[in-house]
Amino acid sequence: MIEFPDVPAGEPLSVSASTYVAYRRCPEQAVGRLRGEYPEDSAVGFVGGLAHRVFARHLQHGPISKDDFAQACREEIGSSMNPKVGSLGLKPSTLQPIIAEVGDLYDRFQKVSLEGCRDVEVSLEFEATEGVVVKGIVDAVFDGEDGGVVLRDWKTGQVGAVADQLAFYGMLWTLVHGEPPESLDAFSVKTGETYVERPTRSALQATVTDVARFVTIARQSFAGVPADTTAGPWCRYCPLLPECSEGRTAVAVND
């Protein structure tokens, strides 16, 4: 249904949803991610990550009782989040308020209608062309009203600007399954906000063309042609900030 355009040959690349979103903000920041330069972990990100693990556990195994909730959180942290515990310097005593915050989100989550949920944490991966893999994890897949599927991304804060992320998931689902999802949505468990998008063929093709453009930029960057930089609020936490004069200026102006 959609086609990945030709791109220059080069070293293998793996493009995730988060890398694509970074590219839409600043190409050089996204290329940095491909080089392994990521922002530092944050407490806010840790809370969001743990909440997502708890939501998935609920959908896979059923409700978690209040008596078992703290232990369930510790099990999820131990199984997949220990590196972040170390990087953030968290200790057992400092986990209590985090678990309480996630517990509040879980209380809200249990009030959300989950009717029609057919799958959870769906990993998608597609070799778009030789040496180029696009991949992502969809939080949940629901039955659509018209016989298709709805891809949902849970948010633990405000919904924010999610169009690029959802567009990537819609493109990836279409590449893997040959048919587009019926709709894409982001739902904030905290605020109840919902953003809904019904992808069109032209929009899906525009996204896959944009991903190919990023692959071209990345491979050119690896060959010595610098990628463009775009300053914005994201500069403050960018690992490339010390070497980026545009980013430092943006941060100084906003201080």
Side-chain angles (χ1 to χ4, degrees):
M1 180 183 177
I2 57 176
E3 297 181 359
F4 196 87
D6 292 335
V7 294
E11 65 179 85
L13 298 178
S14 180
V15 183
S16 66
S18 57
T19 301
Y20 177 68
V21 170
Y23 155 69
R24 295 285 292 174
R25 293 192 301 249
C26 173
E28 178 61 17
Q29 187 182 83
V31 173
R33 291 178 68 95
L34 293 179
R35 293 193 177 103
E37 299 177 86
Y38 295 91
E40 293 182 1
D41 292 326
S42 69
V44 171
F46 188 87
V47 168
L50 180 56
H52 276 73
R53 296 300 312 138
V54 168
F55 301 162
R57 187 177 180 127
H58 173 103
L59 290 167
Q60 291 168 331
H61 305 295
I64 307 167
S65 71
K66 287 190 177 296
D67 290 342
D68 295 333
F69 188 78
Q71 180 59 30
C73 285
R74 290 189 172 88
E75 288 174 3
E76 293 298 338
I77 292 169
S79 66
S80 60
M81 301 181 69
N82 267 333
K84 295 181 184 296
V85 171
S87 67
L88 291 170
L90 297 175
K91 300 177 181 178
S93 59
T94 57
L95 286 176
Q96 293 299 330
I98 289 175
I99 290 174
E101 186 174 352
V102 174
D104 179 64
L105 289 168
Y106 181 59
D107 288 342
R108 296 170 185 266
F109 177 80
Q110 291 184 91
K111 299 174 184 177
V112 176
S113 173
L114 302 173
E115 183 179 357
C117 183
R118 63 161 67 173
D119 213 345
V120 181
E121 292 193 329
V122 179
S123 294
L124 300 170
E125 187 171 303
F126 185 82
E127 186 174 11
T129 189
E130 185 176 358
V132 178
V133 172
V134 287
K135 63 181 183 179
I137 300 176
V138 176
D139 287 341
V141 179
F142 286 78
D143 294 324
E145 295 179 356
D146 300 326
V149 298
V150 176
L151 309 186
R152 172 166 296 178
D153 191 71
W154 303 115
K155 298 298 181 186
T156 55
Q158 293 183 325
V159 166
V162 295
D164 292 333
Q165 180 188 17
L166 294 182
F168 185 91
Y169 288 145
M171 172 210 71
L172 183 52
W173 182 275
T174 305
L175 289 172
V176 171
H177 294 282
E179 292 290 337
E182 185 176 309
S183 67
L184 311 157
D185 75 49
F187 180 84
S188 171
V189 175
K190 186 172 185 177
T191 68
E193 299 171 272
T194 304
Y195 176 95
V196 180
E197 188 79 47
R198 283 186 170 266
T200 63
R201 185 187 184 283
S202 60
L204 292 166
Q205 185 60 55
T207 301
V208 79
T209 299
D210 203 29
V211 172
R213 188 179 300 117
F214 168 58
V215 170
T216 298
I217 289 170
R219 284 181 165 170
Q220 289 175 341
S221 177
F222 293 152
V225 180
D228 291 337
T229 57
T230 306
W234 47 84
C235 293
R236 183 176 301 277
Y237 306 104
C238 179
L240 307 180
L241 185 61
E243 299 88 37
C244 180
S245 59
E246 187 176 353
R248 292 198 305 275
T249 299
V251 169
V253 167
N254 289 311
D255 277 345

